[in-house]
Amino acid sequence: MSNTTIIDYEDSDGTGTVTLVANPFERGGKYYAKFDRTTVNIDHLIARIQKKEVGTNAIMAKHMASLFKAEILEALSRGEAVNLFDLGTLYITTSGTVKGDTPETATIPGFQVKFTSSKVTNEAVSSLGIKKIVMSDTSPIIGTMTDLFTGEETTEFTSGKSIRIEGTRLKIAGDDGGVFFAPATKKQEPVSDESKWIKVAKLIRNVSKTLEFFLPSELEIGTPYCIVLKTNSTKGNTTRKSYSVSYSTVVTVKGE
């Protein structure tokens, strides 16, 4: 059995991309920043060790790593905090709000593990460079549109029938959110006067990748519209204060 772990990867160059995300809360700045993640695993680390320490036995190193992992998990299961090679400490905390006003009535929701990094760990990232800064786009992305009456992907839909939109981040949420048909301008954009937008009354399906609904009866045959999606949905079931808006290419309605 080989003592070498063969890994196909390239080391990072010490720089990364910072993504600016809109801050949904009143307090703090307009944006918060996320350093985009590149993850290495134990095989990557062992391969790097082998480059520096020629002759290192990869199999034994992985075996020792698995032993450390087992002991760390056992220590946590005994309620102990664990110092990880002076990189920081794994510690146990409750996983939610405690209910009850006295020790006798208190209900502990459960436990989870958190990590506090050490000074030496934080110093390791102090010299990182920024390759580029980008803005996070949380707007819905419309992929395909299908007339469910004819089964065709199209931009011309059958009056009074249902259609399906597929894409990314489509889920509609918020009191002011919805799917709208906005008359299109000559530039093939929705008119800015939202009072002229026609809202879809009910969504048959409303998930991140799929929307299904019946066309509003008020739509006029042959009139160019843009389908506007307006939502404050985020990942999971959470919402934000601001709304994201996107719109389709020009669509029309036809008779049966």
Side-chain angles (χ1 to χ4, degrees):
M1 187 177 291
S2 172
N3 289 338
T4 302
T5 301
I6 301 174
I7 299 295
D8 181 18
Y9 77 100
E10 294 183 2
D11 287 333
S12 302
D13 61 4
T15 64
T17 298
V18 172
T19 301
L20 300 183
V21 182
N23 183 3
F25 305 104
E26 293 180 357
R27 307 177 76 178
K30 188 175 181 180
Y31 301 98
Y32 65 89
K34 294 171 60 178
F35 190 88
D36 287 3
R37 183 180 303 178
T38 300
T39 303
V40 296
N41 58 32
I42 189 64
D43 288 330
H44 297 142
L45 299 178
I46 292 173
R48 290 174 178 178
I49 291 171
Q50 287 183 305
K51 289 180 180 179
K52 299 172 183 176
E53 300 290 336
V54 179
T56 297
N57 188 310
I59 297 174
M60 182 56 69
K62 293 184 75 170
H63 178 60
M64 291 302 299
S66 68
L67 293 178
F68 275 114
K69 175 183 175 181
E71 290 301 323
I72 289 168
L73 292 175
E74 185 174 336
L76 292 170
S77 71
R78 290 195 296 262
E80 299 170 339
V82 181
N83 181 326
L84 292 179
F85 313 108
D86 292 331
L87 298 175
T89 302
L90 289 171
Y91 66 95
I92 300 165
T93 183
T94 56
S95 58
T97 303
V98 176
K99 297 181 179 179
D101 299 325
T102 66
E104 292 76 19
T105 61
T107 301
I108 306 300
F111 300 100
Q112 63 182 351
V113 176
K114 291 188 176 182
F115 178 79
T116 299
S117 58
S118 66
K119 180 180 178 180
V120 67
T121 300
N122 290 327
E123 288 176 348
V125 301
S126 62
S127 61
L128 279 173
I130 298 176
K131 186 182 302 181
K132 62 180 177 178
I133 299 176
V134 299
M135 296 294 298
S136 173
D137 185 5
T138 59
S139 300
I141 298 175
I142 297 174
T144 61
M145 298 182 290
T146 303
D147 184 329
L148 295 180
F149 181 69
T150 63
E152 297 178 351
E153 289 186 13
T154 182
T155 57
E156 187 179 31
F157 303 104
T158 307
S159 177
K161 303 300 182 180
S162 59
I163 74 172
R164 176 189 296 134
I165 297 176
E166 294 176 289
T168 305
R169 299 190 292 271
L170 298 178
K171 185 175 180 179
I172 302 300
D175 294 338
D176 295 327
V179 178
F180 304 85
F181 281 76
T185 66
K186 292 182 179 180
K187 294 183 178 180
Q188 299 187 340
E189 297 175 348
V191 295
S192 58
D193 184 357
E194 294 189 18
S195 66
K196 296 181 179 180
W197 295 7
I198 300 170
K199 187 174 183 178
V200 171
K202 183 179 180 180
L203 298 175
I204 304 171
R205 192 173 185 192
N206 181 20
V207 295
S208 178
K209 295 184 178 180
T210 309
L211 298 174
E212 291 182 1
F213 53 87
F214 283 94
L215 297 180
S217 59
E218 303 95 315
L219 298 180
E220 297 179 0
I221 292 176
T223 297
Y225 295 98
C226 291
I227 300 177
V228 180
L229 307 182
K230 185 177 181 180
T231 180
N232 65 355
S233 175
T234 61
K235 290 182 179 179
N237 295 318
T238 59
T239 58
R240 55 179 176 267
K241 291 186 177 181
S242 60
Y243 282 81
S244 294
V245 178
S246 66
Y247 58 89
S248 71
T249 55
V250 170
V251 302
T252 56
V253 177
K254 64 180 180 180
E256 291 186 38

